[in-house]
Amino acid sequence: AQTVTQSQPEMSVQEAETVTLSCTYDTSESDYYLFWYKQPPSRQMILVIRQEAYKQQNATENRFSVNFQKAAKSFSLKISDSQLGDAAMYFCAYNRDDKIIFGKGTRLHILP
Amino acid sequence: ETGVTQSPTHLIKTRGQQVTLRCSSQSGHNTVSWYQQALGQGPQFIFQYYREEENGRGNFPPRFSGLQFPNYSSELNVNALELDDSALYLCASSKKLATDTYNEQFFGPGTRLTVL
């Protein structure tokens, strides 16, 4: 069975600084997708970034980038120049056959 | 373009009752997935509906059932409610082609269910 593990229940970062959220996953598949979702207090789940497992290049979306280590089954999210609006729960997730499996989340606090 | 909507926003039920939650998919989408998010946890996949048929199910008992209508909106029904059913229920819609293994899912704001 596929599992997703986020070992950091909470993290804090100073505004404008950089923070990295960790995620490991377990799967026997070779073709899959990995995601980071953001869930602010409004509860709406928002896709932050997506990585296709067969692509070696790490995905980047503006201030958000990932470090994808397929052999180690590691998928961390780096947020650069942190902003107050980045405060939220962040979920690492795995997708195969259109079913998403989420980790337990990391609550990110941004300190002004 | 209208996003995914869910109703009601909040709901309070008592143990043993039945509940129906509703989800309207984004325009042009044909697939709806339902997730249960307990407090402090990540969402868990309940099931997915594609073209009005169930297309995969997570580890949930049969008292969790669903429907998808010709307009691709969907309902989640839960019978014989238990205290542990208290959670945020999220639906997500996507546009799926038969050969796809991945389609971006767009989430609604959720329905908060409290079972007393």
Side-chain angles (χ1 to χ4, degrees), chain B residues 4-8 19-24 34 69 73-77 89 91 110-111:
Chain B
V4 179
T5 61
Q6 292 185 244
S7 63
V19 70
T20 297
L21 310 182
R22 294 178 176 83
C23 173
S24 291
W34 286 93
F69 300 99
S73 65
S74 177
E75 285 183 354
L76 163 65
N77 298 290
Y89 288 84
C91 81
T111 293

Side-chain angles (χ1 to χ4, degrees), chain A residues 56-94:
Chain A
Q56 293 187 344
Q57 186 172 5
N58 290 323
T60 299
E61 287 286 343
N62 301 313
R63 299 182 295 108
F64 299 87
S65 62
V66 299
N67 184 3
F68 174 48
Q69 302 289 327
K70 190 173 184 179
K73 296 180 181 175
S74 169
F75 183 61
S76 61
L77 173 70
K78 185 172 82 171
I79 306 175
S80 304
D81 185 26
S82 297
Q83 300 175 359
L84 294 177
D86 294 335
M89 282 292 290
Y90 285 82
F91 292 97
C92 177
Y94 166 102

Side-chain angles (χ1 to χ4, degrees), chain A residues 17-62:
Chain A
E17 296 294 306
T18 295
V19 64
T20 298
L21 308 183
S22 302
C23 173
T24 58
Y25 62 95
D26 188 23
T27 182
S28 57
E29 304 291 343
S30 59
D31 186 20
Y32 50 88
Y33 294 81
L34 295 166
F35 311 92
W36 280 96
Y37 281 90
K38 172 185 177 181
Q39 188 178 40
S42 67
R43 310 182 320 201
Q44 191 99 28
M45 196 72 76
I46 301 164
L47 179 64
V48 174
I49 199 165
R50 175 181 69 228
Q51 175 78 44
E52 298 169 75
Y54 68 87
K55 289 188 177 179
Q56 293 187 344
Q57 186 172 5
N58 290 323
T60 299
E61 287 286 343
N62 301 313

Side-chain angles (χ1 to χ4, degrees), chain A residues 31 33 35 37 39 42-47 50 89 91 95-105, chain B residues 9-10 35 37 40-43 45 48 55-56 88 90 96 101-105 107-110 112:
Chain A
D31 186 20
Y33 294 81
F35 311 92
Y37 281 90
Q39 188 178 40
S42 67
R43 310 182 320 201
Q44 191 99 28
M45 196 72 76
I46 301 164
L47 179 64
R50 175 181 69 228
M89 282 292 290
F91 292 97
N95 180 310
R96 179 168 166 80
D97 294 332
D98 223 12
K99 318 296 187 292
I100 303 177
I101 298 167
F102 290 86
K104 291 189 174 182
Chain B
T9 305
H10 296 90
Y35 297 85
Q37 186 177 13
Q41 301 293 316
F45 175 73
Q48 181 183 87
N55 181 46
L88 179 68
L90 297 167
K96 184 180 182 71
T101 58
Y102 163 74
N103 300 277
E104 183 173 348
Q105 296 188 15
F107 284 82
R112 172 77 64 192

Side-chain angles (χ1 to χ4, degrees), chain B residues 89-101:
Chain B
Y89 288 84
L90 297 167
C91 81
S93 75
S94 57
K95 183 176 182 180
K96 184 180 182 71
L97 299 176
T99 54
D100 288 344
T101 58

